[in-house]
Amino acid sequence: MINKQVANVKEALKGLSGGMTLMLGGFGLCGIPENAISEMVDMDIKNLTCISNNAGVDDFGLGLLLKKNQIKKMVSSYVGENDEFERQMLSGELDVELIPQGTLAERCRAAQAGFPAIYTPAGYGTEVAEGKETREFDGKMYVLETAFKADFSFVKAWKGDAAGNLMFKATARNFNPNMCGAATITVAEVEELVPAGSLDPNQIHIPGIFVQRIFEGKGYEKRIEKRTVRQKT
Amino acid sequence: MLDKIGIAKRIAKEVKNGYYVNLGIGIPTLVANYVREDIEVEFQSENGVLGMGPFPFEGEEDADLINAGKQTITTLEGASFFDSATSFSMIRGKHVDLTILGAMEVSGNGDIANWKIPGYMVKGMGGAMDLVASAENIIVAMMHTNKKGDSKLLKRCSLPLTGVGCVKKVVTNLAVLEVTSDGFKLLERAPGVSVEAIQNATEGHLIIDGEVPEMDL
């Protein structure tokens, strides 16, 4: 067993510095690497480029980094839930690249899988395709999108073991598996870290080869963005 | 004239047995409430769930289980979870049978604009560009005119596009229209709405072929 376990979040983020490009898992506030984000706030590193489907809310998730002006650029598909984000975007303090959600996932996966680029139909004929190479296959047009290049990938999983194997829960899975192994260093934080051998190999979603560092996170808030319920009839 | 629920009810009739369906945010989300109960349908949410169920009862919400609108949800028997790349493989790979989404503008050649208004805060396209670029069967659910009373069914979209030549059918508060190579073909009228009223509310080319029946809701 190759041991990937590190003692804590500080050790997990060793080598992380300002100006780096990061991938962060999560959809809305679901499945975000809460511990890594909170450590980055404490480290006060600046000029980060963050590849993440969303940008958090004003006081949680990536919103915490935005509030301290730690992010230089966001690469996202949807950023609608954050007033501070809006202010920084409109004032020009923050550079924002909006890309289709499936393209975002696939540019991560391409980096993970060793493809330099992929062709996707998404965005053809729209401003997303401007300046990009296009090509016809079987009578349909596609846009060439390149694999992301990132220094660190921060993912959140439900369970993991010391070998770096990961299991995700429900829709907290989202972009997390696609970002594993897609950056130079992948850091996985898990709700429950178990000894190697205690997870069933049949049930593992991401094999430890895609993960460089793993640690058990603390104090997960797991905030619900839109609590929606129905009445018992 | 229909309200939003009426539009959702009419679109629900387009959902057939055995369909995997992706519902957008807004009116499309309401469609799930009106699908016939004697057919088997699975709803896909692009954040990674197939077999989406209704909202949870109070106290049973799970922060790890949400839909693409970030609302808490439940799952039904046979449900599955998957990562975002797999989710869009279902969409891009045409495994999803029907996509229902809202729009700001649709043109007679099937172009759709629903993600950006220049001069306003742009929130992003989310999964809309992937959905419209790949889905074989796209129904747009929207009001026929905007708040200013201008037609949303146009010769050419004026807003930045989400996708080109992709919309097949539009269901509005006034009518059901099919997108053809010549423009919008009027298929059905909403209850109590005249062909003339639809014509007046449609800036794009409207094709009226014989008697146009009233919708059966």
Side-chain angles (χ1 to χ4, degrees):
Chain A
M1 197 269 290
I2 300 172
N3 188 28
K4 307 289 175 73
Q5 188 178 347
V6 296
N8 51 41
V9 65
K10 277 197 169 49
E11 206 177 310
L13 270 60
K14 226 179 201 169
L16 177 67
S17 61
M20 283 188 167
T21 297
L22 320 177
M23 288 180 173
L24 298 110
F27 186 98
L29 301 177
C30 183
I32 58 172
E34 293 184 23
N35 281 231
I37 292 170
S38 131
E39 180 64 18
M40 281 188 264
V41 171
D42 290 346
M43 287 167 78
D44 202 31
I45 45 173
K46 307 262 189 208
N47 293 315
L48 299 171
T49 294
C50 293
I51 299 162
S52 179
N53 190 54
N54 313 92
V57 295
D58 276 316
D59 59 347
F60 200 55
L62 287 177
L64 298 170
L65 292 173
L66 281 164
K67 200 154 71 178
K68 288 186 66 192
N69 290 294
Q70 292 177 260
I71 301 176
K72 175 185 69 176
K73 182 178 179 180
M74 281 297 314
V75 181
S76 305
S77 87
Y78 191 84
V79 293
E81 330 285 355
N82 191 320
D83 292 337
E84 177 60 14
F85 182 100
E86 183 170 347
R87 192 197 63 73
Q88 290 185 22
M89 182 176 169
L90 295 173
S91 72
E93 289 163 60
L94 182 69
D95 187 11
V96 180
E97 185 183 343
L98 292 170
I99 60 174
Q101 196 179 135
T103 302
L104 177 68
E106 211 57 30
R107 289 177 70 185
C108 294
R109 211 191 66 82
Q112 176 193 60
F115 295 114
I118 50 106
Y119 279 105
T120 177
Y124 177 76
T126 76
E127 62 183 54
V128 163
E130 280 169 19
K132 290 175 187 163
E133 194 180 320
T134 57
R135 186 168 162 181
E136 185 183 326
F137 294 92
D138 296 325
K140 188 174 165 88
M141 293 304 294
Y142 295 81
V143 184
L144 189 68
E145 296 278 5
T146 55
F148 285 127
K149 289 189 174 68
D151 300 296
F152 274 85
S153 180
F154 294 107
V155 304
K156 152 82 194 323
W158 176 36
K159 289 181 182 176
D161 66 17
N165 296 309
L166 303 177
M167 286 170 70
F168 302 90
K169 192 183 146 222
T171 56
R173 191 182 313 194
N174 56 64
F175 289 84
N176 286 299
N178 307 129
M179 290 177 171
C180 289
T184 309
I185 294 173
T186 297
V187 175
E189 58 180 83
V190 297
E191 287 178 51
E192 191 185 343
L193 187 67
V194 299
S198 44
L199 295 178
D200 177 357
N202 287 301
Q203 305 295 327
I204 285 164
H205 295 132
I206 282 290
I209 191 169
F210 293 117
V211 174
Q212 278 67 50
R213 302 172 189 172
I214 188 167
F215 69 99
E216 189 173 273
K218 287 194 184 105
Y220 283 102
E221 185 176 333
K222 299 218 267 185
R223 198 184 288 188
I224 294 176
E225 212 166 324
K226 292 181 186 164
R227 186 179 301 273
T228 317
V229 296
R230 74 187 137 132
Q231 299 307 317
K232 282 192 171 126
T233 46
Chain B
M1 199 192 298
L2 301 177
D3 58 7
K4 287 178 179 178
I5 287 170
I7 296 173
K9 281 184 178 165
R10 175 59 191 83
I11 291 179
K13 293 167 73 85
E14 305 284 324
V15 179
K16 304 284 193 295
N17 189 33
Y19 268 17
Y20 293 102
V21 182
N22 180 290
L23 300 177
I25 294 163
I27 302 173
T29 306
L30 301 172
V31 173
N33 301 333
Y34 304 104
V35 173
R36 276 167 50 186
E37 284 183 5
D38 60 338
I39 61 173
E40 294 298 333
V41 173
E42 282 192 24
F43 291 103
Q44 197 251 20
S45 191
E46 63 255 31
N47 59 317
V49 54
L50 198 56
M52 200 179 3
F55 297 133
F57 291 118
E58 195 161 357
E60 293 173 9
E61 312 92 311
D62 179 353
D64 291 326
L65 182 51
I66 61 169
N67 64 17
K70 284 127 190 166
Q71 295 168 309
T72 43
I73 53 160
T74 58
T75 52
L76 299 175
E77 223 169 72
S80 56
F81 299 120
F82 35 84
D83 64 77
S84 300
T86 304
S87 179
F88 283 92
S89 298
M90 294 175 188
I91 291 162
R92 211 182 297 105
K94 304 186 196 302
H95 308 286
V96 172
D97 300 288
L98 175 62
T99 292
I100 303 166
L101 75 178
M104 299 174 194
E105 293 178 349
V106 175
S107 72
N109 60 335
D111 294 352
I112 176 171
N114 72 352
W115 77 283
K116 183 175 184 179
I117 304 174
Y120 287 83
M121 167 66 187
V122 179
K123 295 184 170 185
M125 65 291 282
M129 283 195 182
D130 306 273
L131 282 160
V132 301
S134 299
E136 301 271 81
N137 193 2
I138 300 177
I139 300 178
V140 165
M142 65 177 191
M143 304 307 275
H144 212 97
T145 54
N146 65 21
K147 284 181 184 130
K148 286 186 289 180
D150 299 329
S151 181
K152 294 170 74 171
L153 291 99
L154 308 171
K155 287 192 184 73
R156 285 281 172 272
C157 292
S158 65
L159 295 169
L161 296 179
T162 307
V164 292
C166 50
V167 177
K168 302 287 184 291
K169 202 176 251 186
V170 183
V171 179
T172 74
N173 51 329
L174 303 183
V176 179
L177 309 105
E178 185 189 342
V179 176
T180 71
S181 51
D182 300 319
F184 298 106
K185 187 179 177 188
L186 182 56
L187 299 182
E188 297 171 23
R189 296 174 292 114
V193 175
S194 68
V195 169
E196 194 189 5
I198 296 164
Q199 177 76 75
N200 289 341
T202 308
E203 192 256 3
H205 182 54
L206 188 69
I207 302 158
I208 301 154
D209 192 6
E211 196 71 8
V212 180
E214 209 168 81
M215 285 178 205
D216 175 20
L217 294 166

